[in-house]
Amino acid sequence: MKINTIILAAGQGTRMLSELPKVLHQVNNKPLILYSIQAAKAAGSDQPIIIIGNGADAVKKTVGGGARFVLQAERLGTAHAVMVAESELKGKGDLVLVIAGDMPLLTADTLKQLVQKQSTNQGPLTMLTVHSNNPRGFGRILRGMDGEIRAIVEEAQASVDELKIDELNVGAYCFNSDWMWKALKKIKLSPKGEYYLTDLVGIAVTEGSRVDSIQLEDEDEALGVNNRIHLADAERIIRRRVNEEHMLAGVSMVDPNQVYIEEGVTIGKDTILHPGTYLTGGTRIGEGCEIGPNTIIDASTVGSHCHLLTSVIEGAEVGDNVGMGPFCHLRKGARLGNGVHMGNFGEVKDSSLAAGVKMGHFSYIGNATIGENVNIGAGTITCNFDGEHKHPTVIGADAFIGSDTMLVAPLKIGRGAKTGAGSVVTHDVPDGEVVVGVPARKLKEK
Ligand code: UD1
Ligand code: CA
């Protein structure tokens, strides 16, 4: 069975009070529209057709290649929005799923159920409803004495009695494709001057067909983002879903409300996340780590049994048993071997620190290759930039860099070499040699 999806995303999103089209606002660092696209695809749909209007170019740009767009030049209502996709879709599939681009909580599972039900349904459509005491402006479902759906009445047109109905139209439907294209032509302009997609229900009933439905069990799924309060609600619920998945897979969170994990992050079991932890950009964390409070890890890999406290790690690789923080900053291209220790105010960029390196206090290491078990004293700086170019520093295994050493690159410090406190090293130091002073020279034995 061939399933197409139409995602309605041409509306203004007036209540967001934003320069950004509503469907590009983000929930858990992902634009709303991408949630709809992914759910539809995961439910078995072909590449969805996105109906764009307001902010069309921006939406196209964000969604990117592979997607299909149809422009609704004039916003004449939800039925009109579906109609503009006719030339693209008519005769090209069995079922059409219609959803809105501002419902990020609707799951692929729910859409699958909708498709499944409609695929065996004799009638022309299956729709999603929800029972709720919070009607939020949704259309009300009118059912007959026999319990069958008779119509949907929009809130603006509902009578006092109809307003009391607690079964609501979620705004997600699965139609028999041939029937839908024909029936859309029968819709008349509403008193508000729009063509309502919801009128298809009344049309089906008038034709003597049965309208089938699925009731959402989880009311959250029906949340549509119309203002920034809804956006924050969606954010909270999505993050809870993501966090609960990790907790059920063996990750501890001291306070899940204060842990921010993007989709696509992996975390090993027995890792503990403290409040204020942000894990983004496909970061991978091993087992048995303790992370946070207040730690940001983006696009990085962290091994097992690391303790990372109040630090920022971006585009870096961290081995096993690394201890870091508070207040360390790993930047792009930082690679830390097993058992590295970094204390307060360390910064590493484009450098590798081999296993066992200790760098306890106030250091900057850039464009450097540091051998095993090197001790980097407090205040050490690789002076890697001459104003035009970056230059490398290489430090051999077991070297001891004294406090406040300036390593003026390009520079090589030999294995087991030592620099005295406060030295400014401008020339290579051979293996085992001790240098001191400004500029640093070989220490004369007395
Ligand atoms: C719609 C339903 C209502 C349902 C509610 C659930 C209709 C007439 N009413 O109401 O029964 O309870 O959704 O959220 O369908 N759009 C376009 N082009 C248009 C008009 C709308 O693309 O010309 C898009 C909007 O961007 C939005 C979606 O369609 O994503 C829904 O439109 P909206 O005007 O918000 O409908 P509601 O009043 O919420
Ligand atoms: Ca809406």
Side-chain angles (χ1 to χ4, degrees):
M1 197 157 272
K2 194 167 158 66
I3 304 147
N4 283 300
T5 300
I6 297 174
I7 300 178
L8 308 181
Q12 288 224 318
T14 320
R15 283 171 284 169
M16 297 296 282
L17 301 176
S18 178
E19 297 290 318
L20 194 67
K22 177 167 78 175
V23 293
L24 297 189
H25 281 263
Q26 299 200 342
V27 164
N28 204 15
N29 291 344
K30 187 163 99 179
L32 295 177
I33 185 79
L34 296 188
Y35 286 91
S36 306
I37 294 172
Q38 282 165 10
K41 281 191 188 162
S45 166
D46 265 28
Q47 183 71 43
I49 301 266
I50 302 160
I51 309 299
I52 48 177
N54 210 68
D57 290 339
V59 176
K60 269 188 179 170
K61 198 166 158 228
T62 299
V63 173
R68 299 194 284 173
F69 301 95
V70 174
L71 185 72
Q72 185 193 19
E74 264 185 303
R75 258 71 72 202
L76 300 178
T78 45
H80 180 256
V82 172
M83 262 186 271
V84 298
E86 180 170 352
S87 56
E88 192 81 14
L89 284 185
K90 194 176 174 183
K92 300 210 177 119
D94 308 294
L95 299 179
V96 180
L97 203 53
V98 178
I99 56 179
D102 61 358
M103 303 190 61
L105 302 177
L106 211 50
T107 63
D109 258 5
T110 298
L111 295 182
K112 241 183 237 166
Q113 285 176 39
L114 208 54
V115 165
Q116 215 121 50
K117 195 143 196 189
Q118 183 53 30
S119 64
T120 56
N121 188 9
Q122 300 297 316
L125 77 136
T126 305
M127 59 179 293
L128 203 57
T129 77
V130 66
H131 287 276
S132 169
N133 300 321
N134 179 9
R136 283 215 185 102
F138 281 20
R140 309 298 202 273
I141 309 291
L142 308 186
R143 288 184 185 265
M145 301 295 276
D146 53 1
E148 297 291 334
I149 294 180
R150 312 301 305 171
I152 301 173
V153 57
E154 290 306 299
E155 189 169 272
Q157 275 95 51
S159 67
V160 175
D161 280 339
E162 286 166 345
L163 285 175
K164 289 182 193 146
I165 296 171
D166 77 341
E167 188 179 15
L168 312 173
N169 175 28
V170 172
Y173 323 82
C174 188
F175 294 101
N176 171 301
S177 178
D178 294 340
W179 179 86
M180 185 189 81
W181 297 119
K182 266 187 243 137
L184 280 168
K185 307 223 158 66
K186 301 183 183 168
I187 294 177
K188 305 209 167 57
L189 213 55
S190 79
K192 256 183 82 186
E194 289 188 17
Y195 295 95
Y196 286 165
L197 187 62
T198 44
D199 285 356
L200 287 181
V201 170
I203 289 170
V205 171
T206 311
E207 288 174 357
S209 301
R210 183 170 169 269
V211 172
D212 213 337
S213 65
I214 288 179
Q215 280 72 46
L216 276 181
E217 276 162 34
D218 177 3
E219 200 185 309
D220 286 347
E221 277 196 58
L223 186 141
V225 174
N226 294 316
N227 61 37
R228 294 186 198 236
I229 297 176
H230 302 151
L231 188 70
D233 286 342
E235 172 87 28
R236 178 175 44 78
I237 296 162
I238 291 272
R239 275 202 284 110
R240 191 188 66 209
R241 280 187 193 165
V242 172
N243 288 357
E244 285 181 355
E245 241 175 73
H246 288 290
M247 289 189 277
L248 291 173
V251 176
S252 285
M253 297 179 196
V254 174
D255 179 357
N257 295 322
Q258 298 189 66
V259 170
Y260 306 80
I261 307 175
E262 251 179 46
E263 254 173 43
V265 166
T266 63
I267 311 171
K269 67 174 160 46
D270 286 326
T271 284
I272 301 174
L273 305 178
H274 290 273
T277 295
Y278 290 74
L279 304 178
T280 56
T283 284
R284 287 178 292 152
I285 310 274
E287 297 182 0
C289 292
E290 190 158 356
I291 297 177
N294 303 324
T295 293
I296 299 173
I297 308 181
D298 179 56
S300 297
T301 312
V302 173
S304 292
H305 307 289
C306 292
H307 190 174
L308 312 177
L309 167 66
T310 312
S311 290
V312 176
I313 299 175
E314 305 164 289
E317 283 171 41
V318 174
D320 298 331
N321 297 303
V322 169
M324 186 183 300
F327 316 120
C328 292
H329 190 183
L330 296 189
R331 294 167 59 203
K332 203 158 170 287
R335 295 182 303 280
L336 271 53
N338 296 340
V340 165
H341 166 74
M342 262 177 83
N344 327 255
F345 306 106
E347 175 181 345
V348 177
K349 185 182 182 222
D350 273 325
S351 296
S352 65
L353 277 58
V357 168
K358 303 235 169 338
M359 174 174 162
H361 331 263
F362 308 100
S363 293
Y364 170 65
I365 299 295
N367 302 93
T369 306
I370 301 186
E372 283 184 14
N373 301 318
V374 167
N375 191 308
I376 296 173
T380 295
I381 287 173
T382 52
C383 310
N384 61 331
F385 187 50
D386 60 11
E388 277 178 41
H389 303 288
K390 299 272 175 75
H391 300 285
T393 301
V394 178
I395 303 181
D398 302 311
F400 181 95
I401 309 300
S403 292
D404 215 16
T405 296
M406 300 297 123
L407 300 161
V408 182
L411 188 68
K412 253 182 161 157
I413 307 281
R415 295 173 73 93
K418 290 184 180 173
T419 68
S423 48
V424 175
V425 187
T426 53
H427 292 100
D428 291 356
V429 179
D431 289 354
E433 197 162 290
V434 181
V435 297
V436 296
V438 181
R441 21 184 112 77
K442 190 174 174 187
L443 180 67
K444 300 230 169 58
E445 275 148 58
K446 287 179 193 147

